[in-house]
């Protein structure tokens, strides 16, 4: 297992409190840039480092795309930052954060997992990969043009806007996603490895009240690995809870980090 150097966006603390940095790991098809607003709001008292996970954004494209490898990538970032950090992960990034906390618990002081559980899911996103791969990018110079073409096959405006944040227009339009690798390893992304570790530090699981990704049925599995787990539901929020209700999301994260 060899880690890769992840692209990262650093938001320096506005007033350094001596607290460890907060590392943020995005979900599938996301990027560090998606977390800009949240990162800035959380950087009052500590450095916030948002990363592009492998095969996303500005980070290298590398096989395989599984949680052992992604956790090793995050561990390398934390080593660069001094060896311990608070860690926040959403969806796929949340699984990677849990994997690191279970396998190298000394690197994680506090763990925050946004709307995901340590279980295998049936949500398969290969249809979205096909949509992106088949989008005709010829002559596109603005995201609005890509959005108009994408609307013909993807009516959800919010999902289109999310995907189009990974469209690179700087040197001819192309996706900043390793679509072939992500498709090949989709079973690992929606799955969960057989890991038996324990994390006994503070762990907060933030739940979207309108999402079915993390339900009370998952609590026993979570507490079997994370003995100090607490749960906070944001009413009405879906799976992309940080984008839908950023103020409520920042408030609960800030309180947990301050306690």
């Amino acid at each position: 297992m060899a880690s890769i150097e992840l692209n990262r966006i650093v938001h320096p603390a506005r007033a350094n409190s001596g607290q460890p940095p907060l590392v943020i790991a995005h979900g599938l098809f996301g990027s560090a840039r998606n977390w800009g607003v949240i990162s800035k709001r959380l950087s009052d008292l500590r450095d916030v480092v948002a990363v592009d996970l492998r095969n996303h954004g500005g980070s290298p494209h590398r096989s395989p795309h599984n949680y052992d490898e992604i956790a090793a990538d995050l561990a390398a970032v934390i080593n660069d930052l001094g060896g311990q950090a608070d860690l926040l992960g959403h969806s796929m990034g949340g699984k990677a954060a849990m994997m690191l906390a279970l396998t190298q618990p000394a690197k994680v002081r506090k763990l925050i997992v946004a709307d995901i559980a340590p279980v295998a899911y049936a949500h398969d996103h290969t249809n979205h990969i096909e949509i992106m791969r088949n989008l005709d990018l010829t002559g596109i110079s603005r995201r609005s043009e890509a959005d108009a073409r994408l609307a013909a096959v993807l009516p959800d405006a919010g999902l289109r806007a999310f995907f189009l944040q990974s469209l690179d227009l700087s040197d001819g339009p192309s996706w900043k996603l390793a679509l072939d690798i992500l498709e090949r390893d989709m079973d690992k992304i929606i799955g969960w490895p057989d890991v038996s570790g324990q994390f006994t530090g503070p762990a907060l699981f933030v739940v979207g009240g309108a999402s079915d990704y993390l339900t009370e049925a998952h609590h026993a599995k979570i507490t079997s690995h994370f003995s100090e787990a607490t749960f906070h539901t944001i009413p009405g929020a879906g799976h992309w809870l940080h984008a839908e209700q950023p103020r409520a999301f920042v408030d609960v994260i800030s309180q947990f980090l301050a306690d």
Side-chain angles (χ1 to χ4, degrees), residues 131 135 144-157 160 164:
I131 286 172
L135 182 66
S144 58
E145 297 167 343
D147 183 64
R149 294 185 189 181
L150 199 55
V153 291
L154 188 63
D156 187 325
R160 292 200 308 273
L164 289 171

Side-chain angles (χ1 to χ4, degrees), residues 7-12 14 22-44 46-53 56-57 74 86-95 97 111-116 161-162 165-166 176 204-208 234 237-254 257:
N7 184 56
R8 58 195 83 170
I9 299 175
V10 180
H11 300 265
R14 286 185 280 274
L22 172 66
V23 175
I24 298 180
H26 61 78
L28 180 63
F29 306 135
S31 70
R33 198 163 65 90
N34 298 155
W35 286 79
V37 172
I38 300 291
S39 297
K40 285 175 183 147
R41 290 181 180 174
L42 290 172
S43 66
D44 278 341
R46 70 183 66 225
D47 293 344
V48 176
V49 181
V51 301
D52 289 334
L53 297 179
H56 291 74
L74 290 174
D86 293 335
L87 183 57
L88 161 60
H90 170 245
S91 200
M92 178 186 73
K95 282 188 170 182
L111 175 69
I112 305 155
V113 178
D115 210 54
I116 203 73
F162 173 62
Q165 288 185 58
S166 290
K176 293 189 289 186
L204 172 66
F205 288 75
V206 189
V207 184
I234 298 179
H239 183 56
W240 282 273
L241 62 179
H242 60 289
E244 295 173 23
Q245 298 201 33
R247 190 176 300 277
F249 186 79
V250 167
D251 285 349
V252 67
I253 301 306
S254 298
L257 292 175

Side-chain angles (χ1 to χ4, degrees), residues 29 125-138 150 153-154 163-164 167 173-186:
F29 306 135
H125 299 279
T126 52
N127 61 317
H128 294 135
I129 290 175
E130 280 300 304
I131 286 172
M132 284 184 271
R133 182 187 284 130
N134 293 330
L135 182 66
D136 180 9
L137 299 176
T138 306
L150 199 55
V153 291
L154 188 63
F163 290 157
L164 289 171
L167 183 64
S174 63
W175 293 104
K176 293 189 289 186
L177 298 163
L179 295 175
D180 291 347
I181 295 173
L182 296 175
E183 180 180 52
R184 187 164 59 244
D185 286 342
M186 185 59 66

